[in-house]
């Protein structure tokens, strides 16, 4: 079956509207506050990437939650405004509430259709000062974790 270029273009444009959902007021506020912090620190210039806000269905309700990763923020006058050796700020917005975490890296893992937020955290969270340490977080009327 042959499709006209106009049909393909229309579908492409419409799909970008479907997948590019606007950020929630809470997510926008977190990013705006980061920008203000940067500006107020020696008139810094704030930058962020498109990956700063991602969406993942952590609750299993079919509606993706927002994850705001400050590791995607940059301030020209500070290299450690939103983190340091202990990790970088990460916010997860669920049902209008922002949950705050500190992580060096993070990843969403699908385990038998359960979405797990896996955080690489500072070894001190595992009661030692050497070796890797991870926190696995799952949603069940709040984040539950094991270390």
């Amino acid at each position: 079956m042959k499709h006209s270029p106009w049909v393909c273009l229309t579908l492409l444009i419409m799909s970008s509207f479907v997948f590019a959902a606007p950020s929630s007021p809470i997510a926008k506020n977190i990013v705006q506050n980061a920008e203000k912090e940067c500006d107020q620190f020696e008139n810094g210039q704030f930058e962020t990437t498109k990956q700063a806000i991602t969406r993942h269905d952590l609750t299993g309700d079919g509606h993706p939650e927002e994850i705001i990763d400050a590791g995607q923020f940059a301030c020209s006058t500070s290299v450690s405004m939103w983190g340091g050796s202990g990790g970088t700020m990460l916010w997860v917005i669920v049902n209008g509430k922002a949950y705050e975490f500190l992580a060096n890296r993070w990843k969403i893992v699908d385990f038998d259709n359960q979405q797990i937020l896996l955080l690489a955290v500072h070894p001190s969270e595992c009661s030692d000062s050497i070796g890797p340490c991870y926190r696995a977080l799952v949603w069940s009327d709040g984040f539950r974790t094991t270390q």
Side-chain angles (χ1 to χ4, degrees):
M1 174 184 239
K2 193 173 184 182
H3 296 286
S4 80
W6 294 111
V7 171
C8 292
L9 181 60
T10 301
L11 290 173
L12 182 63
I13 290 169
M14 288 179 65
S15 69
S16 68
F17 287 117
V18 171
F19 294 117
S23 298
S24 70
I26 295 172
K28 288 179 186 176
N29 190 45
I30 289 170
V31 175
Q32 288 171 347
N33 285 342
E35 186 171 9
K36 283 180 197 171
E37 273 185 278
C38 177
D39 180 59
Q40 292 172 353
F41 187 74
E42 299 176 4
N43 201 29
Q45 298 299 307
F46 179 78
E47 291 184 26
T48 188
T49 69
K50 290 181 182 181
Q51 294 81 23
I53 300 175
T54 57
R55 291 169 178 77
H56 306 273
D57 185 8
L58 298 172
T59 62
D61 65 359
H63 302 285
E65 285 67 46
E66 292 171 300
I67 298 179
I68 300 95
D69 182 357
Q72 301 298 315
F73 299 168
C75 182
S76 64
T77 55
S78 174
V79 295
S80 60
M81 187 161 285
W82 302 283
S85 62
T88 303
M89 296 306 303
L90 186 74
W91 296 269
V92 181
I93 300 172
V94 181
N95 299 325
K97 180 179 177 185
Y99 295 82
E100 201 172 273
F101 303 100
L102 194 59
N104 290 303
R105 291 181 323 281
W106 65 276
K107 182 178 189 174
I108 302 296
V109 177
D110 183 311
F111 190 80
D112 292 335
N113 293 321
Q114 171 70 57
Q115 300 302 301
I116 300 170
L117 175 58
L118 186 62
L119 305 177
V121 297
H122 193 273
S124 64
E125 288 201 37
C126 293
S127 303
D128 63 30
S129 59
I130 58 171
C133 177
Y134 297 91
R135 291 179 65 200
L137 299 156
V138 295
W139 182 261
S140 179
D141 293 325
F143 281 105
R144 299 183 68 208
T145 186
T146 183
Q147 294 183 24

